[in-house]
Amino acid sequence: MKTPEIYVSTDIEADGPIPGPHSMLSFGSAAFLGDGTLLGTHTANLATLPGASGHPVTMKWWATQLTAWDKSREQCQRPEIAMPAYATWIKSLPGKPVFVGYPASFDFMFICWYLFRFAGENPFSFAALDIKTFAMALMNCDYRQATKQSMPETWKVALPHTHVALDDALEQGQIFCNMLAERARRADQSRP
């Protein structure tokens, strides 16, 4: 029997645009089967990196998101504790993990850097799937037109986008699974 892909919808919150000079403040992951079954979640708030600082533009944005900021600063763990635990969780999933992000380029950059830096490995390898790119393909539109607002109602979910990492990972994971279901419907309709 084929080993299933496990779609690990992941959202991160950070205090700047790149890891190293800036810190990942929190991350949340929700692992889904392709049929939308939620297998489990993992989340952590992280202590900031020594010598790193918040980027002025990002910190100005955070000043407008005080509830989410406060949530990201509760019970912070050192990255050298949190990231090996996260790697262990990813490896415990019953299939091949695929990172799923919105946009994957930002979130995966932080997750990849932190995993290699603090866990010595990245169980995702370089398998990162971008929801916006998938939406572009399904909607037959340009990349910048593939926004949540322009997505079909059948893909949308009733979960709020709070900028709390696990909340947003769950929201975008359900959207992604709805997109997978749409792809499957189209494939069924195209069969003779």
Side-chain angles (χ1 to χ4, degrees):
M1 186 170 167
K2 183 179 166 186
T3 303
E5 289 187 330
I6 308 299
Y7 300 104
V8 185
S9 173
T10 301
D11 183 75
I12 72 102
E13 301 299 334
D15 65 7
I18 58 172
H22 312 292
S23 300
M24 181 164 62
L25 303 173
S26 62
F27 67 90
S29 289
F32 291 89
L33 292 174
D35 67 3
T37 301
L38 177 64
L39 298 175
T41 62
H42 189 96
T43 189
N45 292 336
L46 303 176
T48 56
L49 299 170
S53 61
H55 189 279
V57 173
T58 307
M59 296 313 292
K60 184 177 179 181
W61 177 82
W62 273 117
T64 70
Q65 305 293 323
L66 295 178
T67 300
W69 172 266
D70 289 345
K71 291 269 189 195
S72 77
R73 301 297 74 214
E74 295 173 354
Q75 301 175 351
C76 291
Q77 301 176 40
R78 295 191 330 269
E80 57 268 27
I81 302 297
M83 300 315 292
Y86 181 49
T88 298
W89 178 79
I90 296 166
K91 292 188 292 187
S92 76
L93 295 171
K96 296 178 183 176
V98 177
F99 182 98
V100 176
Y102 186 100
S105 56
F106 178 76
D107 299 278
F108 188 72
M109 171 177 47
F110 275 89
I111 289 293
C112 185
W113 191 92
Y114 268 76
L115 280 169
F116 276 121
R117 173 71 179 84
F118 296 107
E121 64 176 327
N122 179 357
F124 292 115
S125 181
F126 296 100
L129 194 156
D130 182 50
I131 293 173
K132 280 181 64 74
T133 304
F134 188 33
M136 172 189 174
L138 289 177
M139 294 166 62
N140 194 27
C141 68
D142 291 339
Y143 180 79
R144 298 205 183 274
Q145 292 175 320
T147 64
K148 288 180 185 175
Q149 293 78 17
S150 67
M151 290 178 179
E153 290 301 316
T154 55
W155 298 358
K156 296 179 182 178
V157 297
L159 297 174
H161 192 81
T162 64
H163 299 294
V164 173
L166 185 56
D167 291 350
D168 293 354
L170 286 162
E171 176 213 17
Q172 69 192 28
Q174 289 183 19
I175 291 170
F176 174 73
C177 289
N178 289 341
M179 294 166 69
L180 287 176
E182 172 73 18
R183 184 187 67 161
R185 277 193 298 277
R186 291 182 190 182
D188 287 345
Q189 291 170 353
S190 68
R191 289 191 184 103

